[in-house]
Amino acid sequence: MNENLFASFIAPTMMGLPIVTLIIMFPSLLFPTPKRLINNRTISIQQWLIQLTSKQTMAIHNQKGQTWSLMLMSLIMFIGSTNILGLLPHSFTPTTQLSMNLGMAIPLWSATVFTGFRHKTKTSLAHFLPQGTPAPLIPMLVIIETISLFIQPVALAVRLTANITAGHLLIHLIGGATLALLNISTMTAFITFTILILLTILEFAVALIQAYVFTLLVSLYLHDNT
C-alpha cells in the first residue's frame, strides 16, 4: 500500500532514461503562437486571461519592474499548466518534486535580491535593521532578518510542493477507499465517490491558485527590490 501510495511521485523513466525533461517541455505545446489575423476562441481566451493576470500582477511595479512581465507570465503559465496536467490519471507532476521547485525559486529569488542590491543598495541593507532598533538588539535582529531573507526561496518551494503533494495523496487515498467500499456498501461508496469528485474540482482550483501564489510572491519580492 505504501509503495503504491508514493509511486506516482517517482520520476518516470523510459528504457532506463529519465523523461522528466520531456514532461516539463510538454506544457509549452498547450500555448501555441497565434499565426492568424483573427484568432480562434481558445487562443482568444488564453490571451484575455494572460492580459488580465498580467495587469493584476504588474500593477504595483515601476517601469524597471515591469521588464519582468514576460518572465512572470511564463512562470505562472508553466506552473499552472503543469499542475493541471498532473491531475490526469497515470500522469507525473514535476511540481511535486522539491528539487525542481527549489530550482525555480532560488534563481528567481536571487535575481530579485541582486537587483535590489544593485539599484537600491541602501534600501536593501536597511531591511536588515529596522529604524529605531535599540543598540543591544542590533546583532540579534540582523541575524533574524538575514535568516528570514534566505528562507524565502525555501518557503516558496515547500509551499508549492506541500500543497500539490497533499492534494494528490488525498485523491489517491479517497479513490482507493471508494474501490474498497464498492463491494461492502454501495451507498457509502457513492458518497465517497461524490467526495472524490468535489475534491478533484478543488484540486483544479488549487493547481491554478498555487501557480498564482508562487508568481505573486516572486512579484512581491521583485517589488521590494526595484
Side-chain angles (χ1 to χ4, degrees):
M1 178 66 182
N2 293 333
E3 182 179 356
N4 295 332
L5 183 62
F6 295 97
S8 60
F9 302 111
I10 300 176
T13 59
M14 181 179 295
M15 300 178 62
L17 299 175
I19 57 174
V20 177
T21 304
L22 297 177
I23 297 175
I24 292 174
M25 294 172 61
F26 180 74
S28 61
L29 301 177
L30 302 178
F31 303 98
T33 303
K35 299 180 180 179
R36 299 179 180 179
L37 182 61
I38 301 178
N39 299 323
N40 56 31
R41 294 182 180 179
T42 303
I43 295 180
S44 298
I45 292 175
Q46 287 180 355
Q47 291 179 344
W48 176 74
L49 289 175
I50 291 172
Q51 291 176 359
L52 180 63
T53 308
S54 178
K55 288 181 180 179
Q56 292 181 350
T57 307
M58 308 307 297
I60 60 176
H61 292 282
N62 53 22
Q63 186 175 1
K64 189 177 298 181
Q66 290 178 357
T67 58
W68 283 57
S69 58
L70 180 60
M71 171 69 75
L72 295 179
M73 289 304 101
S74 300
L75 179 66
I76 191 173
M77 290 167 60
F78 170 73
I79 298 177
S81 58
T82 302
N83 291 345
I84 291 177
L85 289 175
L87 293 174
L88 297 176
H90 305 288
S91 61
F92 173 73
T93 312
T95 48
T96 58
Q97 306 296 312
L98 182 61
S99 58
M100 174 181 166
N101 295 335
L102 284 172
M104 291 190 297
I106 292 177
L108 291 170
W109 169 83
S110 301
T112 60
V113 172
F114 290 152
T115 300
F117 278 105
R118 180 181 179 183
H119 299 287
K120 297 172 61 177
T121 306
K122 292 183 179 180
T123 305
S124 299
L125 292 175
H127 291 164
F128 292 94
L129 187 63
Q131 187 176 5
T133 304
L137 297 179
I138 288 179
M140 183 181 297
L141 280 179
V142 170
I143 295 174
I144 292 174
E145 292 297 329
T146 303
I147 294 175
S148 66
L149 177 65
F150 282 98
I151 210 172
Q152 287 177 354
V154 179
L156 270 178
V158 171
R159 181 185 296 106
L160 179 58
T161 304
N163 281 280
I164 302 302
T165 303
H168 283 62
L169 288 176
L170 280 175
I171 290 176
H172 183 86
L173 289 173
I174 296 178
T178 303
L179 291 176
L181 291 171
L182 195 59
N183 297 325
I184 301 175
S185 174
T186 306
M187 181 59 67
T188 307
F190 176 75
I191 295 175
T192 310
F193 181 69
T194 304
I195 296 174
L196 178 62
I197 294 176
L198 295 176
L199 179 61
T200 305
I201 296 173
L202 176 63
E203 283 304 311
F204 272 99
V206 170
L208 297 176
I209 291 172
Q210 288 304 315
Y212 179 75
V213 168
F214 190 97
T215 308
L216 181 62
L217 289 175
V218 174
S219 176
L220 291 176
Y221 296 156
L222 176 64
H223 176 259
D224 292 338
N225 290 281
T226 54

